[in-house]
Amino acid sequence: MTEIRTEANMNNKRNTVVPSGKDAPIGVFDSGVGGLTVVREIMRQIPNEKIIYFGDTARVPYGSKSQETVTRFSEQIVRFLKTFHVKTIVVACNTASAYAMDALERDCDIPIIGVVKPGARMAAEVTRNGRIGVIATEATIGSQIYTQYIQDLNKNVTIYGKACPLFVPLVEEGLLEDPVTDEIARRYLTELIDIDIDTLILGCTHYPLIRSTLGKIMGPKVTLVNPAYETAQELRRMLDKMNLLNDEPPKLGSNRYQFYVSDKAEKFMTFANSIIKYGILSAKTIHIEKY
């Protein structure tokens, strides 16, 4: 068994123990399909890794739920993922990262990372005029988590949050390139354009799926920060530092990518196969309340 430390746990002076080695899978979870953008980036950037994904499709969205509820859901999912002896867990949901990370880091005995810090770091680095916009769910915006992290890095920036609650159901329904999505996006983003932000954080893992629409509306002078990409980068660095990067591709027949949901597995797989081109074959429905 190898003793390691996550960034958060080092800050708390707590050690974690990884029960499995390099060949163990990575656990990833989200409230629904948005976390697939993180999975897609992990597949691209760390191609030797095995992945266990859980999408809480029965209880989506998380953005309108209380911190207590989101934390309880997240703890159930972590317990489920740990049954696969995962070597680390990625919280691929901004709302869960904002609401539940403290509890998860406190109670989890393996490394766990969220999607907020990597995106916040990148935004603080790339802004030129110190005006950063964040679009996210109501819960993430209300938590002020991006503001807190960014201003910890650079107190001279101003963060403008905008809740965009309709983006999640539009993405979940597959309306990625649709006049309805364009119109709603313009309504949401107009005030951010008017205050001259130069950086926009896509603060929900669903949002990269409509990145082309958001980029078109914001224009070329605004840098879009995709926390899904930044999280995969952070994950790679963490695994490398802890000597947990898988050196070789999984063997044929090793069940490289496994997908689980709490409802509507067939609909989930149709959507997943439309955005991830890695031969996803099936998803299984499990009763997450048992965990």
Side-chain angles (χ1 to χ4, degrees):
M1 299 177 74
T2 304
E3 185 179 89
I4 60 175
R5 297 175 180 224
T6 65
E7 177 183 352
N9 285 337
M10 283 192 286
N11 292 337
N12 293 328
K13 298 183 180 179
R14 294 180 62 246
N15 293 341
T16 64
V17 177
V18 176
S20 305
K22 294 182 178 182
D23 190 51
I26 295 166
V28 183
F29 79 87
D30 181 55
S31 61
V33 302
L36 292 171
T37 60
V38 178
V39 168
R40 182 171 62 183
E41 292 297 341
I42 295 172
M43 290 173 172
R44 288 172 176 171
Q45 299 183 43
I46 326 176
N48 290 343
E49 300 296 337
K50 293 184 287 189
I51 298 171
I52 309 292
Y53 179 86
F54 177 79
D56 200 359
T57 49
R59 303 185 294 195
V60 68
Y62 281 9
S64 58
K65 294 179 172 62
S66 69
Q67 181 170 5
E68 179 183 5
T69 296
V70 172
T71 300
R72 175 166 54 86
F73 289 175
S74 299
E75 290 171 338
Q76 289 173 341
I77 296 166
V78 165
R79 288 192 288 269
F80 167 68
L81 290 173
K82 288 179 69 175
T83 65
F84 295 91
H85 304 291
V86 294
K87 60 186 176 184
T88 187
I89 291 175
V90 179
V91 184
C93 172
N94 281 265
T95 301
S97 294
Y99 274 178
M101 281 298 293
D102 286 347
L104 297 180
E105 289 174 342
R106 182 178 63 246
D107 299 333
C108 196
D109 58 358
I110 60 174
I112 185 164
I113 67 172
V115 291
V116 173
K117 286 186 178 180
R121 267 196 296 270
M122 180 54 63
E125 290 176 10
V126 301
T127 184
R128 303 175 306 280
N129 68 4
R131 294 172 173 264
I132 299 173
V134 180
I135 54 173
T137 64
E138 294 174 354
T140 300
I141 296 300
S143 74
Q144 295 288 302
I145 193 72
Y146 274 104
T147 298
Q148 174 188 326
Y149 285 152
I150 294 170
Q151 292 192 332
D152 281 346
L153 297 168
N154 185 349
K155 295 188 182 301
N156 296 318
V157 303
T158 305
I159 296 90
Y160 303 89
K162 176 65 178 177
C164 302
L166 292 178
F167 282 165
V168 170
L170 287 170
V171 169
E172 298 269 351
E173 289 300 318
L175 299 176
L176 306 183
E177 297 181 5
D178 189 275
V180 172
T181 304
D182 289 352
E183 176 60 25
I184 290 173
R186 289 185 187 281
R187 293 191 182 195
Y188 280 150
L189 298 176
T190 295
E191 65 185 74
L192 295 177
I193 296 171
D194 290 344
I195 56 180
D196 194 32
I197 64 167
D198 75 346
T199 304
L200 179 65
I201 299 174
L202 310 186
C204 173
T205 48
H206 287 70
Y207 297 178
L209 295 171
I210 54 172
R211 179 176 181 146
S212 61
T213 296
L214 302 177
K216 177 177 62 178
I217 293 171
M218 296 306 300
K221 294 183 179 180
V222 176
T223 300
L224 301 186
V225 174
N226 177 4
Y229 176 87
E230 303 303 332
T231 299
Q233 291 273 305
E234 180 76 10
L235 176 63
R236 182 184 180 89
R237 287 190 291 268
M238 185 186 76
L239 294 177
D240 185 44
K241 183 176 181 180
M242 296 174 176
N243 198 30
L244 286 173
L245 273 177
N246 205 346
D247 298 322
E248 299 179 358
K251 296 178 181 178
L252 291 176
S254 63
N255 224 1
R256 184 172 187 171
Y257 304 131
Q258 298 180 54
F259 295 84
Y260 297 86
V261 294
S262 50
D263 196 19
K264 298 182 179 178
E266 184 175 345
K267 181 178 180 180
F268 172 87
M269 286 316 304
T270 299
F271 189 89
N273 279 301
S274 72
I275 65 170
I276 299 179
K277 312 300 183 183
Y278 290 89
I280 299 169
L281 299 177
S282 64
K284 296 180 181 179
T285 302
I286 61 105
H287 299 293
I288 193 64
E289 292 87 356
K290 292 181 178 179
Y291 294 88

